């Protein structure tokens, strides 16, 4: 029977990344303190109360979803820049890009009676094959204890190495059972899905995913988070929302680093800056020199 590997929060990054390479998923236990779990639950509670159920064969009919969590919850902001999470993103995503960003934020409350979601791969939202690197990675933070009964996320360990058409058999599917405050991380190419909630209470989890910096974000963070509040965030989070240039020259604003929009340094004065990878600079310099010599 398949099982998800769980590790203590003190586990080193190389071990966590090695488990993810092999299994495609891992649980890091007790990353959030009980106070942080209570805080994030309280920040989201009024939004869940106001939200209707989803109505779709993928999202479910007895499930509530909230987006724009970076605007709604200060705890979600610190979760997004958690060092262990970023250690995973650095390891996997920097193989395919020069800088990554947040892909989406979504709180998912599976209500009693919701059946299991179809098993799927999230990275199919990016319409290309990329066997040599991951395009996106998910974190699922447990706000409630995730149990077999209440719909802990279904995962298929090892399925990130399978051919696209291989369908998981029941004995290959397991669940990310974990205590509130733990985080389940899985690669975008891993087969997974929300579990059936056979309990009497909702199951609340928070997904924050990250993708290659040259891909479109599933949830446009520039629109999801008002710029006035982004100004107050730490720079690492601002960069993760998309205020950066992916070299060469992808994402610049007025020919400048868009972070200047937050710091007030961005000037609309026609001053175009080049954002080039270090390794191409000597080649360009050589080309220029050859023009002078000719
Ligand atoms: O709620 C869950 O456990 C997973 C949901 C999911 O995979 C999705 O909606 O894409
Ligand atoms: Fe999914």
């Amino acid at each position: 029977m398949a099982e998800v590997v769980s590790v203590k929060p003190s586990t080193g990054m190389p071990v966590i990344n090695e488990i993810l390479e092999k299994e495609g998923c891992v649980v890091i236990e007790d990353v959030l303190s009980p106070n942080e779990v209570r805080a994030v639950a309280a920040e989201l509670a009024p939004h869940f109360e106001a939200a209707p159920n989803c109505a779709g064969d993928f999202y479910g009919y007895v499930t509530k979803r909230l987006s724009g969590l970076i605007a709604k919850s200060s705890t979600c902001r610190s979760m997004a820049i958690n060092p262990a999470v970023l250690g995973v993103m650095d390891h996997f995503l920097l193989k395919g890009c020069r800088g990554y960003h947040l892909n989406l934020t979504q709180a998912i409350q599976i209500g009693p009676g919701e059946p299991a979601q179809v098993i799927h791969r999230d990275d199919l939202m990016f319409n290309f094959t990329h066997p040599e690197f991951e395009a996106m990675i998910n974190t699922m933070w447990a706000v409630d204890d995730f149990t077999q009964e209440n719909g802990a996320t279904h995962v298929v360990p090892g399925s990130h190495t399978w051919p696209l058409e291989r369908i998981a058999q029941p004995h290959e599917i397991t669940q990310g059972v974990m205590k509130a405050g733990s985080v389940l991380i899985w690669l975008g190419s891993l087969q997974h899905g929300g579990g059936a909630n056979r309990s009497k209470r909702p199951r609340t989890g928070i997904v924050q995913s990250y993708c290659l910096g040259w891909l479109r974000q599933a949830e446009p963070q520039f629109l999801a988070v008002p710029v006035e509040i982004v100004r107050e965030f730490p720079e690492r989070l601002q960069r993760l929302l998309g205020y950066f240039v992916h070299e060469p020259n992808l994402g610049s604003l007025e020919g400048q680093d868009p972070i200047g929009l937050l710091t007030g340094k961005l000037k609309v004065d026609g001053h175009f800056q080049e954002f080039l990878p270090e390794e191409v600079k000597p080649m360009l310099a050589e080309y220029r020199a050859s023009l002078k010599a000719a």
Side-chain angles (χ1 to χ4, degrees):
M1 195 69 190
E3 250 182 78
V4 180
V5 179
S6 290
V7 299
K8 302 277 174 230
S10 55
T11 310
M13 280 326 300
V15 175
I16 293 174
N17 286 328
E18 214 173 290
I19 296 168
L20 274 164
E21 298 268 10
K22 182 163 172 279
E23 303 284 325
C25 54
V26 70
V27 167
I28 312 177
E29 296 168 1
D30 305 322
V31 182
L32 301 179
S33 68
N35 273 345
E36 288 171 308
V37 174
R38 272 192 291 276
V40 75
E43 287 159 359
L44 298 183
H47 300 284
F48 272 126
E49 270 160 38
N53 279 324
C54 296
D57 291 339
F58 183 70
Y59 282 154
Y61 293 87
V62 202
T63 292
K64 291 184 176 185
R65 291 177 191 251
L66 304 175
S67 57
L69 304 186
I70 299 299
K72 293 185 171 81
S73 153
S74 64
T75 310
C76 285
R77 290 170 211 153
S78 45
M79 284 150 53
I81 52 172
N82 175 274
V85 164
L86 295 185
V88 167
M89 303 310 152
D90 284 353
H91 178 76
F92 285 93
L93 295 180
L94 293 181
K95 288 181 181 146
C97 66
R98 297 175 193 275
Y100 52 86
H101 48 191
L102 264 181
N103 181 50
L104 68 76
T105 62
Q106 196 174 94
I108 306 178
Q109 190 169 80
I110 302 181
E114 182 75 83
Q117 188 184 34
V118 66
I119 296 283
H120 61 277
R121 291 185 161 96
D122 285 339
D123 68 359
L124 290 177
M125 70 171 66
F126 301 113
N127 197 10
F128 69 115
T129 49
H130 43 89
E132 65 285 11
F133 51 79
E134 290 294 323
M136 61 159 296
I137 303 188
N138 270 307
T139 60
M140 165 66 95
W141 298 84
V143 178
D144 297 310
D145 290 345
F146 272 37
T147 67
Q148 281 184 352
E149 201 195 9
N150 76 0
T153 309
H154 288 175
V155 285
V156 185
S159 59
H160 60 305
T161 64
W162 294 2
L164 273 184
E165 58 285 355
R166 179 165 160 191
I167 293 173
Q169 300 305 305
H171 70 278
E172 295 171 310
I173 306 173
T174 184
Q175 284 181 274
V177 169
M178 56 182 169
K179 291 267 176 247
S182 307
V183 62
L184 166 68
I185 304 177
W186 74 89
L187 306 183
S189 58
L190 192 84
Q191 296 192 27
H192 70 281
N197 189 345
R198 294 183 302 271
S199 77
K200 295 198 163 53
R201 295 166 50 79
R203 182 230 71 177
T204 304
I206 293 170
V207 169
Q208 301 203 121
S209 67
Y210 304 75
C211 68
L212 302 175
W214 46 268
L215 283 170
R216 183 172 186 187
Q217 295 163 317
E219 176 187 48
Q221 298 299 316
F222 293 132
L223 298 174
V225 194
V227 68
E228 298 73 38
I229 69 168
V230 178
R231 287 206 172 93
E232 309 306 318
F233 295 171
E235 184 179 339
R236 188 73 187 90
L237 183 58
Q238 294 171 334
R239 298 283 187 196
L240 275 176
L241 293 176
Y243 294 83
F244 74 106
V245 177
H246 189 283
E247 294 164 355
N249 300 327
L250 184 64
S252 72
L253 188 64
E254 295 290 339
Q256 295 159 53
D257 185 339
I259 198 99
L261 198 67
L262 307 174
T263 57
K265 289 204 180 115
L266 191 121
K267 296 273 183 298
V268 185
D269 59 1
H271 173 77
F272 257 73
Q273 191 186 332
E274 296 185 324
F275 298 89
L276 301 174
E278 282 307 316
E279 62 269 25
V280 309
K281 288 181 182 171
M283 190 264 284
L284 286 170
E286 206 177 298
Y287 169 70
R288 281 280 155 187
S290 76
L291 293 181
K292 274 194 200 134

